[in-house]
Amino acid sequence: MKIVREALAGTMESSDLMVKIAPAEGELDVVVHSEVIKQFGDQIRKVVNDTLRAMEIRQGLIIIEDKGALDCVIRARLQSAILRAAEGTEIDWGKMR
Amino acid sequence: MQTRPSIDFRIAEVNGNTQRLDTNRTLLADSGLGMDSDITTFVEAWSGNRLVGCAGLAANVIKCVAVDEQLRGENLSARLLAEVENLALARGHFHLFLCTRPCNRERFQHSGFWPIAQSGNNAVLMENTPSGIQRYCRSLQASRVPGKRIGAIVMNANPFTLGHRHLVEQAAHSCDWLHLFVVREDASFFPFAARLKMVKAGVAHLPNVMVHEGSQYIISRATFPAYFLKETGKVQQAWSEIDLLIFRDYIAPALGITHRFIGSEPFCAITRQYNDTMHQMLAGTVMVVEIPRIKATGTAISASEVRRLLKTHQFSRIREIVPDTTFAHLESHYSAEVA
């Protein structure tokens, strides 16, 4: 999928996260901010990277402001933001788990 | 678990309805903030019938964010900011700036904002992306030209006069290369596209001048609200500093700028103060060269004089103080009865 417009998903509530996405030519720039980066930074990045790979996102600016969300929440918010930001809405739900 | 008071978020359009803003004004005053006149929309947090938080939006600049003292520590400001971001995006603004006091810097850093520049204890400018200014600098680097003396001028050119042309010529002659930025903000009488066109036509005879479209980072509503609001005092000083820090720490290094040229300012107090601040802030990094304004028929040439003459259709007098290229534009757009 290709990111063609800016999009937001999520909130700044505790246990949630806010995802911001913007188009960027030729590079994938992923920024993760988290209240629990020290304990769970690696796991959060893994969920984010797996989700991006599953949705075939190869370029764009992805900003994540995590307030201690569970993996499934991170994945869901990221998916929502990507679907809002991408063109072509044929979704292969099987791929997204 | 602690129960949290339920909060409703509402969007309030200002629309000149200043009476209903009294509550916002009181809330802001409690936090030591004034109300900026260019705010068009407030996101408000209500607890029952009490206003407990607000955040103002002026185009893509967030300001006047305040939270009731009793509700601090509830993460309400982060929720307000998320609401503002959603609202701004719906209106086509994704890249947002936030002006705040340095004491709030850390709180907003936890809400998705990154600091760009700070003026002492007075103000800090933040943006909602970690790579905005860096990305902009990378794009500027593509226009980098090698040389010993690399000059820069920032002008509004509202419109481009013989005075502007004189400044550009003087600067271009004393430099290997000159980067000329045209202020992008559309807050002036002449729209950006027209100003850019007049500048480009007016400097086309100079081979070592590159005209750049300004950006959010050079004298914009974000970096320098006072220029457009014409407020006075401390606020304006703080924002002059922020604008110049961005120039000094990001733009000048990206382009290898060694000299910045300005015209002396006999009329506008804000521009004069900006010039003075520039001498202080850039000292030791970028050489500031102030070039005296040239005169025509006794007084220094100014763009505001052109606008005044335009209103009263005095085209023969305009012809004396603008280049032919500007005159052609004014004639074709604003006149039916030129002598």
Side-chain angles (χ1 to χ4, degrees):
Chain A
M1 260 188 254
K2 189 168 186 232
I3 289 163
V4 294
R5 64 184 79 85
E6 290 93 0
L8 291 177
T11 71
M12 296 275 193
E13 301 286 341
S14 190
S15 307
D16 197 359
L17 72 159
M18 184 101 144
V19 179
K20 299 182 213 173
I21 295 187
E25 272 314 305
E27 56 176 346
L28 182 60
D29 190 358
V30 182
V31 182
V32 178
H33 257 203
S34 175
E35 314 247 289
V36 290
I37 197 92
K38 288 202 176 92
Q39 303 95 309
F40 301 112
D42 290 344
Q43 176 61 20
I44 296 167
R45 281 197 199 89
K46 184 179 180 307
V47 173
V48 170
N49 290 336
D50 288 351
T51 307
L52 291 174
R53 204 172 309 121
M55 297 181 83
E56 294 170 5
I57 300 297
R58 293 190 194 87
Q59 54 186 31
L61 171 63
I62 320 281
I63 304 170
I64 290 169
E65 203 67 42
D66 174 51
K67 299 286 175 188
L70 297 172
D71 288 4
C72 55
V73 177
I74 298 175
R75 197 157 52 230
R77 292 302 195 194
L78 190 51
Q79 286 168 351
S80 305
I82 290 169
L83 291 175
R84 288 172 189 168
E87 68 183 355
T89 44
E90 282 300 304
I91 305 157
D92 182 353
W93 290 106
K95 242 190 200 170
M96 300 218 275
R97 288 181 296 160
Chain B
M1 227 176 95
Q2 197 188 339
T3 50
R4 209 157 65 163
S6 92
I7 304 279
D8 297 324
F9 289 99
R10 297 183 202 161
I11 291 166
E13 300 298 337
V14 174
N15 282 340
N17 190 354
T18 48
Q19 201 170 10
R20 76 164 298 294
L21 290 177
D22 282 348
T23 33
N24 300 56
R25 207 171 268 124
T26 311
L27 184 66
L28 289 167
D30 287 344
S31 299
L33 294 170
M35 168 92 81
D36 281 358
S37 56
D38 60 344
I39 292 174
T40 55
T41 312
F42 270 102
V43 174
E44 300 174 340
W46 289 81
S47 174
N49 59 3
R50 202 159 60 91
L51 181 72
V52 292
C54 70
L57 186 65
N60 67 336
V61 183
I62 301 170
K63 48 189 173 180
C64 296
V65 183
V67 169
D68 187 300
E69 220 167 336
Q70 288 172 18
L71 275 96
R72 289 187 195 160
E74 301 272 348
N75 204 24
L76 187 55
S77 60
R79 296 168 72 194
L80 270 172
L81 287 182
E83 295 286 331
V84 176
E85 284 198 71
N86 277 308
L87 173 77
L89 181 60
R91 293 181 179 180
H93 301 294
F94 184 77
H95 187 189
L96 302 178
F97 292 89
L98 174 91
C99 310
T100 187
R101 289 251 174 75
C103 58
N104 297 322
R105 176 179 164 139
E106 205 168 331
R107 175 170 331 141
F108 291 127
Q109 270 181 289
H110 288 290
S111 309
F113 284 81
W114 281 260
I116 304 173
Q118 180 171 332
S119 151
N121 290 320
N122 293 318
V124 56
L125 178 69
M126 306 177 84
E127 61 182 340
N128 70 337
T129 157
S131 55
I133 185 98
Q134 287 82 3
R135 226 169 252 278
Y136 175 60
C137 287
R138 258 182 281 154
S139 74
L140 280 181
Q141 273 163 16
S143 311
R144 215 183 150 107
V145 176
K148 238 176 156 175
R149 284 169 68 98
I150 304 295
I153 296 177
V154 180
M155 59 171 59
N156 198 19
N158 185 33
F160 187 78
T161 65
L162 282 177
H164 291 114
R165 195 176 74 178
H166 175 74
L167 174 65
V168 179
E169 282 173 347
Q170 294 288 309
H173 287 150
S174 74
C175 282
D176 297 315
W177 193 259
L178 181 68
H179 295 282
L180 173 54
F181 291 90
V182 181
V183 172
R184 176 160 215 124
E185 202 72 54
D186 253 332
S188 304
F189 179 81
F190 293 95
F192 171 67
R195 289 184 285 115
L196 185 68
K197 202 176 131 205
M198 284 188 273
V199 173
K200 279 187 170 162
V203 303
H205 62 296
L206 299 165
N208 63 335
V209 177
M210 188 184 287
V211 179
H212 296 262
E213 300 186 9
S215 75
Q216 293 278 348
Y217 301 104
I218 303 174
I219 311 188
S220 73
R221 214 178 266 283
T223 66
F224 201 2
Y227 188 85
F228 302 101
L229 297 177
K230 305 286 182 200
E231 281 166 2
T232 50
K234 215 173 168 183
V235 177
Q236 173 197 317
Q237 177 65 26
W239 291 107
S240 302
E241 284 182 29
I242 284 185
D243 180 79
L244 290 165
L245 282 171
I246 294 173
F247 180 80
R248 186 186 78 186
D249 296 343
Y250 296 100
I251 295 168
L255 288 170
I257 290 163
T258 59
H259 289 67
R260 179 149 168 186
F261 295 85
I262 44 176
S264 61
E265 180 54 61
F267 302 114
C268 171
I270 285 177
T271 309
R272 193 157 56 231
Q273 190 195 344
Y274 180 67
N275 285 357
D276 290 345
T277 310
M278 189 184 300
H279 283 288
Q280 293 160 25
M281 301 296 292
L282 301 189
T285 314
V286 174
M287 183 92 123
V288 179
V289 185
E290 195 160 338
I291 292 177
R293 288 214 185 192
I294 52 164
K295 294 185 176 186
T297 57
T299 55
I301 293 171
S302 84
S304 52
E305 175 71 0
V306 177
R307 297 196 297 276
R308 196 184 66 79
L309 293 170
L310 196 60
K311 269 183 204 132
T312 47
H313 292 273
Q314 302 185 59
F315 280 89
S316 56
R317 293 192 49 202
I318 291 174
R319 195 190 278 276
E320 293 168 5
I321 56 175
V322 301
D324 292 342
T325 47
T326 297
F327 191 77
H329 176 89
L330 298 180
E331 192 178 36
S332 65
H333 286 79
Y334 296 93
S335 141
E337 72 271 34
V338 181

